[in-house]
Amino acid sequence: SSEETPSGTQNFIIPKKEIHTVPDMGKWKRSQAYADYIGFILTLNEGVKGKKLTFEYRVSEAIEKLVALLNTLDRWIDETPPVDQPSRFGNKAYRTWYAKLDEEAENLVSTVVPPQLAAAVPEVAVYLKESVGNSTRIDYGTGHEAAFAAFLCCLCKIGVLRVDDQIAIVFKVFNRYLEVMRKLQKTYRMEPAGSQGVWGLDDFQFLPFIWGSSQLIDHPYLEPRHFVDEKAVNENHKDYMFLECILFITEMKTGPFAEHSNQLWNISAVPSWSKVNQGLIRMYKAECLEKFPVIQHFKFGSLLPIHPVTSG
């Protein structure tokens, strides 16, 4: 379960890649890491069901510290302006920003993790470093987003985040992460990693569409057809993660919605939010978690292990 606190004898390890070839994908799907990761995503999906971002929820000290960590990353963007360069995309200043995170990641994570769990910091910090894009290619995609969810999952496993932090994990921490990622993507003109272009759901994110559609389940009047309606989005985006994502897409892309975001356009025809939510979970498994180009970069350690699921 995601609540168990490891005993002081836990051996933490630096996570590493284990999925080297397409046939290795079977190992991933049978792994404890896969079961725990998808379990974590679905637990949070239940937790935010029917709730607005403005809902009153408990904010623990650990949550506040995670938000402060993300605020630091945001401040570093301001301190690292894009450089003049011939190519429009992939501004090289991103590498300077990333080098700072690379250097400081363990210090940042130790502000969140209590001293008695200091041994976990190097393992957990790897997921934070993996969650902000690739500094060689200056790109960002759902694999990086998955690393951030894995980072949060690890913090649950070591007991830094608890069951009653669920709503705040999505609404406060993940939402702040999204804001910082959008700022990175805009400031440094990052390329979408492995984007399927018009056939993908979104160039950069996936999880906020899952959790965001769960928020809208049983909404008194907003239906899936409303998210392609500019007025509905403008009036409600501050309450719903899904609509915030739509707003960002319309700011970044030009032309008819049906053309630049065909998959989302199709989803707007689904009759209910619960159907949208179930469909997106299936799509996430198929398009992200079962795709070798995404999972080959995933790292496994003691908290998210590659070994097959142990029952019990």
PDB file of all heavy atoms in Angstrom, residues 209-230:
ATOM      1  N   PHE A 209      -5.491  15.710 -17.498  1.00  0.00           N
ATOM      2  CA  PHE A 209      -6.749  15.403 -18.207  1.00  0.00           C
ATOM      3  C   PHE A 209      -7.495  14.280 -17.486  1.00  0.00           C
ATOM      4  O   PHE A 209      -8.720  14.288 -17.409  1.00  0.00           O
ATOM      5  CB  PHE A 209      -6.470  15.009 -19.658  1.00  0.00           C
ATOM      6  CG  PHE A 209      -5.955  16.154 -20.497  1.00  0.00           C
ATOM      7  CD1 PHE A 209      -4.588  16.337 -20.694  1.00  0.00           C
ATOM      8  CD2 PHE A 209      -6.830  17.054 -21.090  1.00  0.00           C
ATOM      9  CE1 PHE A 209      -4.110  17.399 -21.456  1.00  0.00           C
ATOM     10  CE2 PHE A 209      -6.369  18.115 -21.862  1.00  0.00           C
ATOM     11  CZ  PHE A 209      -5.001  18.292 -22.042  1.00  0.00           C
ATOM     12  N   ILE A 210      -6.742  13.312 -16.959  1.00  0.00           N
ATOM     13  CA  ILE A 210      -7.373  12.218 -16.200  1.00  0.00           C
ATOM     14  C   ILE A 210      -7.988  12.790 -14.920  1.00  0.00           C
ATOM     15  O   ILE A 210      -9.200  12.687 -14.693  1.00  0.00           O
ATOM     16  CB  ILE A 210      -6.346  11.115 -15.860  1.00  0.00           C
ATOM     17  CG1 ILE A 210      -5.857  10.428 -17.145  1.00  0.00           C
ATOM     18  CG2 ILE A 210      -6.959  10.086 -14.892  1.00  0.00           C
ATOM     19  CD1 ILE A 210      -4.809   9.335 -16.913  1.00  0.00           C
ATOM     20  N   TRP A 211      -7.144  13.387 -14.084  1.00  0.00           N
ATOM     21  CA  TRP A 211      -7.641  13.910 -12.802  1.00  0.00           C
ATOM     22  C   TRP A 211      -8.643  15.040 -13.017  1.00  0.00           C
ATOM     23  O   TRP A 211      -9.606  15.177 -12.267  1.00  0.00           O
ATOM     24  CB  TRP A 211      -6.466  14.371 -11.933  1.00  0.00           C
ATOM     25  CG  TRP A 211      -5.555  13.231 -11.543  1.00  0.00           C
ATOM     26  CD1 TRP A 211      -5.920  11.918 -11.363  1.00  0.00           C
ATOM     27  CD2 TRP A 211      -4.143  13.288 -11.310  1.00  0.00           C
ATOM     28  NE1 TRP A 211      -4.802  11.166 -11.031  1.00  0.00           N
ATOM     29  CE2 TRP A 211      -3.708  11.978 -10.987  1.00  0.00           C
ATOM     30  CE3 TRP A 211      -3.202  14.317 -11.333  1.00  0.00           C
ATOM     31  CZ2 TRP A 211      -2.373  11.674 -10.687  1.00  0.00           C
ATOM     32  CZ3 TRP A 211      -1.880  14.021 -11.032  1.00  0.00           C
ATOM     33  CH2 TRP A 211      -1.471  12.720 -10.714  1.00  0.00           C
ATOM     34  N   GLY A 212      -8.423  15.837 -14.064  1.00  0.00           N
ATOM     35  CA  GLY A 212      -9.329  16.946 -14.364  1.00  0.00           C
ATOM     36  C   GLY A 212     -10.705  16.479 -14.800  1.00  0.00           C
ATOM     37  O   GLY A 212     -11.714  17.108 -14.489  1.00  0.00           O
ATOM     38  N   SER A 213     -10.750  15.343 -15.524  1.00  0.00           N
ATOM     39  CA  SER A 213     -12.072  14.823 -15.926  1.00  0.00           C
ATOM     40  C   SER A 213     -12.784  14.214 -14.718  1.00  0.00           C
ATOM     41  O   SER A 213     -14.000  14.280 -14.608  1.00  0.00           O
ATOM     42  CB  SER A 213     -11.940  13.798 -17.061  1.00  0.00           C
ATOM     43  OG  SER A 213     -11.117  12.714 -16.682  1.00  0.00           O
ATOM     44  N   SER A 214     -12.007  13.656 -13.772  1.00  0.00           N
ATOM     45  CA  SER A 214     -12.600  13.111 -12.550  1.00  0.00           C
ATOM     46  C   SER A 214     -13.242  14.232 -11.718  1.00  0.00           C
ATOM     47  O   SER A 214     -14.332  14.063 -11.171  1.00  0.00           O
ATOM     48  CB  SER A 214     -11.533  12.392 -11.717  1.00  0.00           C
ATOM     49  OG  SER A 214     -12.104  11.870 -10.541  1.00  0.00           O
ATOM     50  N   GLN A 215     -12.570  15.373 -11.656  1.00  0.00           N
ATOM     51  CA  GLN A 215     -13.122  16.541 -10.949  1.00  0.00           C
ATOM     52  C   GLN A 215     -14.517  16.901 -11.467  1.00  0.00           C
ATOM     53  O   GLN A 215     -15.345  17.399 -10.718  1.00  0.00           O
ATOM     54  CB  GLN A 215     -12.244  17.769 -11.199  1.00  0.00           C
ATOM     55  CG  GLN A 215     -10.994  17.914 -10.389  1.00  0.00           C
ATOM     56  CD  GLN A 215     -10.372  19.270 -10.705  1.00  0.00           C
ATOM     57  OE1 GLN A 215      -9.670  19.439 -11.692  1.00  0.00           O
ATOM     58  NE2 GLN A 215     -10.665  20.262  -9.883  1.00  0.00           N
ATOM     59  N   LEU A 216     -14.736  16.687 -12.771  1.00  0.00           N
ATOM     60  CA  LEU A 216     -15.979  17.134 -13.402  1.00  0.00           C
ATOM     61  C   LEU A 216     -17.098  16.085 -13.383  1.00  0.00           C
ATOM     62  O   LEU A 216     -18.207  16.357 -13.845  1.00  0.00           O
ATOM     63  CB  LEU A 216     -15.691  17.575 -14.842  1.00  0.00           C
ATOM     64  CG  LEU A 216     -14.971  18.941 -14.941  1.00  0.00           C
ATOM     65  CD1 LEU A 216     -14.170  19.051 -16.231  1.00  0.00           C
ATOM     66  CD2 LEU A 216     -15.984  20.084 -14.838  1.00  0.00           C
ATOM     67  N   ILE A 217     -16.809  14.899 -12.838  1.00  0.00           N
ATOM     68  CA  ILE A 217     -17.844  13.848 -12.792  1.00  0.00           C
ATOM     69  C   ILE A 217     -19.049  14.357 -11.981  1.00  0.00           C
ATOM     70  O   ILE A 217     -18.888  14.945 -10.905  1.00  0.00           O
ATOM     71  CB  ILE A 217     -17.265  12.534 -12.221  1.00  0.00           C
ATOM     72  CG1 ILE A 217     -16.312  11.900 -13.254  1.00  0.00           C
ATOM     73  CG2 ILE A 217     -18.382  11.551 -11.828  1.00  0.00           C
ATOM     74  CD1 ILE A 217     -15.545  10.679 -12.766  1.00  0.00           C
ATOM     75  N   ASP A 218     -20.241  14.143 -12.550  1.00  0.00           N
ATOM     76  CA  ASP A 218     -21.501  14.586 -11.920  1.00  0.00           C
ATOM     77  C   ASP A 218     -21.612  16.099 -11.731  1.00  0.00           C
ATOM     78  O   ASP A 218     -22.317  16.575 -10.846  1.00  0.00           O
ATOM     79  CB  ASP A 218     -21.725  13.880 -10.558  1.00  0.00           C
ATOM     80  CG  ASP A 218     -21.910  12.379 -10.746  1.00  0.00           C
ATOM     81  OD1 ASP A 218     -22.398  11.965 -11.818  1.00  0.00           O
ATOM     82  OD2 ASP A 218     -21.547  11.616  -9.826  1.00  0.00           O
ATOM     83  N   HIS A 219     -20.951  16.858 -12.568  1.00  0.00           N
ATOM     84  CA  HIS A 219     -21.090  18.319 -12.500  1.00  0.00           C
ATOM     85  C   HIS A 219     -22.519  18.696 -12.875  1.00  0.00           C
ATOM     86  O   HIS A 219     -23.086  18.130 -13.805  1.00  0.00           O
ATOM     87  CB  HIS A 219     -20.100  18.999 -13.455  1.00  0.00           C
ATOM     88  CG  HIS A 219     -20.003  20.475 -13.226  1.00  0.00           C
ATOM     89  ND1 HIS A 219     -20.957  21.361 -13.691  1.00  0.00           N
ATOM     90  CD2 HIS A 219     -19.086  21.215 -12.564  1.00  0.00           C
ATOM     91  CE1 HIS A 219     -20.615  22.588 -13.317  1.00  0.00           C
ATOM     92  NE2 HIS A 219     -19.484  22.528 -12.646  1.00  0.00           N
ATOM     93  N   PRO A 220     -23.120  19.635 -12.136  1.00  0.00           N
ATOM     94  CA  PRO A 220     -24.526  19.965 -12.403  1.00  0.00           C
ATOM     95  C   PRO A 220     -24.824  20.446 -13.830  1.00  0.00           C
ATOM     96  O   PRO A 220     -25.892  20.165 -14.358  1.00  0.00           O
ATOM     97  CB  PRO A 220     -24.849  21.056 -11.379  1.00  0.00           C
ATOM     98  CG  PRO A 220     -23.557  21.470 -10.777  1.00  0.00           C
ATOM     99  CD  PRO A 220     -22.597  20.340 -10.971  1.00  0.00           C
ATOM    100  N   TYR A 221     -23.889  21.161 -14.463  1.00  0.00           N
ATOM    101  CA  TYR A 221     -24.219  21.609 -15.836  1.00  0.00           C
ATOM    102  C   TYR A 221     -23.073  21.489 -16.839  1.00  0.00           C
ATOM    103  O   TYR A 221     -23.334  21.456 -18.037  1.00  0.00           O
ATOM    104  CB  TYR A 221     -24.771  23.043 -15.831  1.00  0.00           C
ATOM    105  CG  TYR A 221     -23.855  24.058 -15.194  1.00  0.00           C
ATOM    106  CD1 TYR A 221     -22.846  24.683 -15.934  1.00  0.00           C
ATOM    107  CD2 TYR A 221     -23.975  24.380 -13.835  1.00  0.00           C
ATOM    108  CE1 TYR A 221     -21.981  25.598 -15.344  1.00  0.00           C
ATOM    109  CE2 TYR A 221     -23.111  25.297 -13.236  1.00  0.00           C
ATOM    110  CZ  TYR A 221     -22.122  25.896 -13.998  1.00  0.00           C
ATOM    111  OH  TYR A 221     -21.265  26.791 -13.405  1.00  0.00           O
ATOM    112  N   LEU A 222     -21.814  21.445 -16.409  1.00  0.00           N
ATOM    113  CA  LEU A 222     -20.726  21.358 -17.391  1.00  0.00           C
ATOM    114  C   LEU A 222     -20.615  19.930 -17.930  1.00  0.00           C
ATOM    115  O   LEU A 222     -20.444  18.983 -17.160  1.00  0.00           O
ATOM    116  CB  LEU A 222     -19.380  21.763 -16.768  1.00  0.00           C
ATOM    117  CG  LEU A 222     -19.137  23.258 -16.537  1.00  0.00           C
ATOM    118  CD1 LEU A 222     -17.820  23.469 -15.805  1.00  0.00           C
ATOM    119  CD2 LEU A 222     -19.128  24.040 -17.858  1.00  0.00           C
ATOM    120  N   GLU A 223     -20.742  19.804 -19.221  1.00  0.00           N
ATOM    121  CA  GLU A 223     -20.631  18.489 -19.861  1.00  0.00           C
ATOM    122  C   GLU A 223     -19.380  18.481 -20.737  1.00  0.00           C
ATOM    123  O   GLU A 223     -18.830  19.550 -21.045  1.00  0.00           O
ATOM    124  CB  GLU A 223     -21.874  18.238 -20.735  1.00  0.00           C
ATOM    125  CG  GLU A 223     -23.153  18.114 -19.919  1.00  0.00           C
ATOM    126  CD  GLU A 223     -24.389  18.106 -20.810  1.00  0.00           C
ATOM    127  OE1 GLU A 223     -24.272  17.779 -22.015  1.00  0.00           O
ATOM    128  OE2 GLU A 223     -25.473  18.452 -20.304  1.00  0.00           O
ATOM    129  N   PRO A 224     -18.938  17.285 -21.175  1.00  0.00           N
ATOM    130  CA  PRO A 224     -17.751  17.259 -22.034  1.00  0.00           C
ATOM    131  C   PRO A 224     -17.844  18.198 -23.246  1.00  0.00           C
ATOM    132  O   PRO A 224     -16.845  18.806 -23.621  1.00  0.00           O
ATOM    133  CB  PRO A 224     -17.664  15.791 -22.447  1.00  0.00           C
ATOM    134  CG  PRO A 224     -18.226  15.052 -21.270  1.00  0.00           C
ATOM    135  CD  PRO A 224     -19.357  15.920 -20.786  1.00  0.00           C
ATOM    136  N   ARG A 225     -19.040  18.367 -23.802  1.00  0.00           N
ATOM    137  CA  ARG A 225     -19.157  19.227 -24.993  1.00  0.00           C
ATOM    138  C   ARG A 225     -18.801  20.684 -24.675  1.00  0.00           C
ATOM    139  O   ARG A 225     -18.491  21.464 -25.577  1.00  0.00           O
ATOM    140  CB  ARG A 225     -20.568  19.130 -25.589  1.00  0.00           C
ATOM    141  CG  ARG A 225     -21.654  19.666 -24.695  1.00  0.00           C
ATOM    142  CD  ARG A 225     -23.052  19.318 -25.211  1.00  0.00           C
ATOM    143  NE  ARG A 225     -24.073  19.651 -24.222  1.00  0.00           N
ATOM    144  CZ  ARG A 225     -24.682  20.828 -24.146  1.00  0.00           C
ATOM    145  NH1 ARG A 225     -24.378  21.798 -24.995  1.00  0.00           N
ATOM    146  NH2 ARG A 225     -25.577  21.048 -23.210  1.00  0.00           N
ATOM    147  N   HIS A 226     -18.820  21.052 -23.394  1.00  0.00           N
ATOM    148  CA  HIS A 226     -18.578  22.449 -23.040  1.00  0.00           C
ATOM    149  C   HIS A 226     -17.107  22.849 -23.087  1.00  0.00           C
ATOM    150  O   HIS A 226     -16.797  24.033 -23.105  1.00  0.00           O
ATOM    151  CB  HIS A 226     -19.129  22.766 -21.646  1.00  0.00           C
ATOM    152  CG  HIS A 226     -20.622  22.833 -21.609  1.00  0.00           C
ATOM    153  ND1 HIS A 226     -21.391  21.917 -20.919  1.00  0.00           N
ATOM    154  CD2 HIS A 226     -21.490  23.697 -22.195  1.00  0.00           C
ATOM    155  CE1 HIS A 226     -22.672  22.224 -21.083  1.00  0.00           C
ATOM    156  NE2 HIS A 226     -22.751  23.280 -21.854  1.00  0.00           N
ATOM    157  N   PHE A 227     -16.193  21.879 -23.057  1.00  0.00           N
ATOM    158  CA  PHE A 227     -14.798  22.312 -22.987  1.00  0.00           C
ATOM    159  C   PHE A 227     -14.276  22.864 -24.315  1.00  0.00           C
ATOM    160  O   PHE A 227     -13.202  23.457 -24.363  1.00  0.00           O
ATOM    161  CB  PHE A 227     -13.881  21.252 -22.357  1.00  0.00           C
ATOM    162  CG  PHE A 227     -13.505  20.077 -23.223  1.00  0.00           C
ATOM    163  CD1 PHE A 227     -12.604  20.220 -24.279  1.00  0.00           C
ATOM    164  CD2 PHE A 227     -14.008  18.812 -22.950  1.00  0.00           C
ATOM    165  CE1 PHE A 227     -12.233  19.126 -25.052  1.00  0.00           C
ATOM    166  CE2 PHE A 227     -13.637  17.715 -23.720  1.00  0.00           C
ATOM    167  CZ  PHE A 227     -12.742  17.875 -24.774  1.00  0.00           C
ATOM    168  N   VAL A 228     -15.048  22.684 -25.394  1.00  0.00           N
ATOM    169  CA  VAL A 228     -14.638  23.319 -26.658  1.00  0.00           C
ATOM    170  C   VAL A 228     -15.344  24.685 -26.830  1.00  0.00           C
ATOM    171  O   VAL A 228     -15.207  25.335 -27.849  1.00  0.00           O
ATOM    172  CB  VAL A 228     -14.881  22.413 -27.885  1.00  0.00           C
ATOM    173  CG1 VAL A 228     -13.926  21.227 -27.852  1.00  0.00           C
ATOM    174  CG2 VAL A 228     -16.321  21.919 -27.949  1.00  0.00           C
ATOM    175  N   ASP A 229     -16.062  25.093 -25.784  1.00  0.00           N
ATOM    176  CA  ASP A 229     -16.778  26.365 -25.800  1.00  0.00           C
ATOM    177  C   ASP A 229     -15.958  27.387 -25.001  1.00  0.00           C
ATOM    178  O   ASP A 229     -15.756  27.246 -23.803  1.00  0.00           O
ATOM    179  CB  ASP A 229     -18.164  26.124 -25.181  1.00  0.00           C
ATOM    180  CG  ASP A 229     -18.908  27.406 -24.824  1.00  0.00           C
ATOM    181  OD1 ASP A 229     -18.436  28.501 -25.182  1.00  0.00           O
ATOM    182  OD2 ASP A 229     -19.957  27.289 -24.167  1.00  0.00           O
ATOM    183  N   GLU A 230     -15.479  28.393 -25.710  1.00  0.00           N
ATOM    184  CA  GLU A 230     -14.563  29.379 -25.121  1.00  0.00           C
ATOM    185  C   GLU A 230     -15.118  30.027 -23.851  1.00  0.00           C
ATOM    186  O   GLU A 230     -14.408  30.199 -22.865  1.00  0.00           O
ATOM    187  CB  GLU A 230     -14.300  30.459 -26.180  1.00  0.00           C
ATOM    188  CG  GLU A 230     -13.002  31.196 -25.992  1.00  0.00           C
ATOM    189  CD  GLU A 230     -12.765  32.226 -27.101  1.00  0.00           C
ATOM    190  OE1 GLU A 230     -13.278  32.021 -28.227  1.00  0.00           O
ATOM    191  OE2 GLU A 230     -12.087  33.223 -26.818  1.00  0.00           O
TER     192      GLU A 230
END
